[in-house]
PDB file of all heavy atoms in Angstrom:
ATOM      1  N   HIS A 191      64.203  73.523  75.565  1.00 92.00           N
ATOM      2  CA  HIS A 191      64.846  73.294  76.872  1.00 92.00           C
ATOM      3  C   HIS A 191      64.727  71.828  77.209  1.00 92.00           C
ATOM      4  O   HIS A 191      63.802  71.144  76.748  1.00 92.00           O
ATOM      5  CB  HIS A 191      64.205  74.132  77.968  1.00 92.00           C
ATOM      6  CG  HIS A 191      62.790  73.805  78.258  1.00 92.00           C
ATOM      7  ND1 HIS A 191      62.377  72.826  79.109  1.00 92.00           N
ATOM      8  CD2 HIS A 191      61.630  74.363  77.757  1.00 92.00           C
ATOM      9  CE1 HIS A 191      61.058  72.772  79.143  1.00 92.00           C
ATOM     10  NE2 HIS A 191      60.581  73.669  78.328  1.00 92.00           N
ATOM     11  N   PRO A 192      65.660  71.260  78.011  1.00 91.00           N
ATOM     12  CA  PRO A 192      65.547  69.837  78.370  1.00 91.00           C
ATOM     13  C   PRO A 192      64.307  69.654  79.214  1.00 91.00           C
ATOM     14  O   PRO A 192      63.834  70.485  79.977  1.00 91.00           O
ATOM     15  CB  PRO A 192      66.816  69.600  79.201  1.00 91.00           C
ATOM     16  CG  PRO A 192      67.715  70.785  78.973  1.00 91.00           C
ATOM     17  CD  PRO A 192      66.823  71.919  78.614  1.00 91.00           C
ATOM     18  N   SER A 193      63.706  68.436  79.025  1.00 85.00           N
ATOM     19  CA  SER A 193      62.499  68.146  79.763  1.00 85.00           C
ATOM     20  C   SER A 193      62.704  68.092  81.264  1.00 85.00           C
ATOM     21  O   SER A 193      61.748  68.170  82.020  1.00 85.00           O
ATOM     22  CB  SER A 193      61.938  66.791  79.268  1.00 85.00           C
ATOM     23  OG  SER A 193      62.915  65.795  79.379  1.00 85.00           O
ATOM     24  N   ASP A 194      63.980  67.926  81.724  1.00 79.00           N
ATOM     25  CA  ASP A 194      64.255  67.895  83.176  1.00 79.00           C
ATOM     26  C   ASP A 194      65.051  69.137  83.631  1.00 79.00           C
ATOM     27  O   ASP A 194      65.935  69.054  84.471  1.00 79.00           O
ATOM     28  CB  ASP A 194      64.992  66.609  83.526  1.00 79.00           C
ATOM     29  CG  ASP A 194      66.448  66.682  83.039  1.00 79.00           C
ATOM     30  OD1 ASP A 194      66.749  67.417  82.094  1.00 79.00           O
ATOM     31  OD2 ASP A 194      67.326  66.030  83.633  1.00 79.00           O
ATOM     32  N   LEU A 195      64.717  70.298  83.005  1.00 72.00           N
ATOM     33  CA  LEU A 195      65.460  71.502  83.407  1.00 72.00           C
ATOM     34  C   LEU A 195      65.446  71.681  84.926  1.00 72.00           C
ATOM     35  O   LEU A 195      64.409  71.518  85.527  1.00 72.00           O
ATOM     36  CB  LEU A 195      64.794  72.732  82.744  1.00 72.00           C
ATOM     37  CG  LEU A 195      65.598  74.025  82.694  1.00 72.00           C
ATOM     38  CD1 LEU A 195      66.827  73.810  81.831  1.00 72.00           C
ATOM     39  CD2 LEU A 195      64.745  75.134  82.154  1.00 72.00           C
ATOM     40  N   PRO A 196      66.616  71.969  85.526  1.00 58.00           N
ATOM     41  CA  PRO A 196      66.648  71.971  87.005  1.00 58.00           C
ATOM     42  C   PRO A 196      65.606  72.930  87.627  1.00 58.00           C
ATOM     43  O   PRO A 196      65.214  72.713  88.725  1.00 58.00           O
ATOM     44  CB  PRO A 196      68.077  72.467  87.289  1.00 58.00           C
ATOM     45  CG  PRO A 196      68.835  72.059  86.099  1.00 58.00           C
ATOM     46  CD  PRO A 196      67.910  72.119  84.961  1.00 58.00           C
ATOM     47  N   HIS A 197      65.279  74.016  86.962  1.00 57.00           N
ATOM     48  CA  HIS A 197      64.289  74.955  87.459  1.00 57.00           C
ATOM     49  C   HIS A 197      63.034  74.760  86.635  1.00 57.00           C
ATOM     50  O   HIS A 197      63.034  74.365  85.456  1.00 57.00           O
ATOM     51  CB  HIS A 197      64.783  76.366  87.281  1.00 57.00           C
ATOM     52  CG  HIS A 197      66.222  76.544  87.700  1.00 57.00           C
ATOM     53  ND1 HIS A 197      66.609  76.698  88.967  1.00 57.00           N
ATOM     54  CD2 HIS A 197      67.323  76.565  86.954  1.00 57.00           C
ATOM     55  CE1 HIS A 197      67.915  76.811  89.029  1.00 57.00           C
ATOM     56  NE2 HIS A 197      68.346  76.723  87.784  1.00 57.00           N
ATOM     57  N   LYS A 198      61.911  75.029  87.248  1.00 55.00           N
ATOM     58  CA  LYS A 198      60.640  74.929  86.472  1.00 55.00           C
ATOM     59  C   LYS A 198      60.675  75.902  85.291  1.00 55.00           C
ATOM     60  O   LYS A 198      60.838  77.130  85.499  1.00 55.00           O
ATOM     61  CB  LYS A 198      59.462  75.271  87.351  1.00 55.00           C
ATOM     62  CG  LYS A 198      59.138  74.180  88.394  1.00 55.00           C
ATOM     63  CD  LYS A 198      57.878  74.514  89.175  1.00 55.00           C
ATOM     64  CE  LYS A 198      57.533  73.424  90.163  1.00 55.00           C
ATOM     65  NZ  LYS A 198      56.302  73.760  90.911  1.00 55.00           N
ATOM     66  N   ALA A 199      60.563  75.380  84.121  1.00 53.00           N
ATOM     67  CA  ALA A 199      60.669  76.230  82.942  1.00 53.00           C
ATOM     68  C   ALA A 199      59.645  77.345  82.925  1.00 53.00           C
ATOM     69  O   ALA A 199      59.972  78.476  82.552  1.00 53.00           O
ATOM     70  CB  ALA A 199      60.529  75.354  81.683  1.00 53.00           C
TER      71      ALA A 199
END
Side-chain angles (χ1 to χ4, degrees):
H191 65 86
S193 53
D194 72 335
L195 197 65
H197 316 277
K198 288 185 178 180

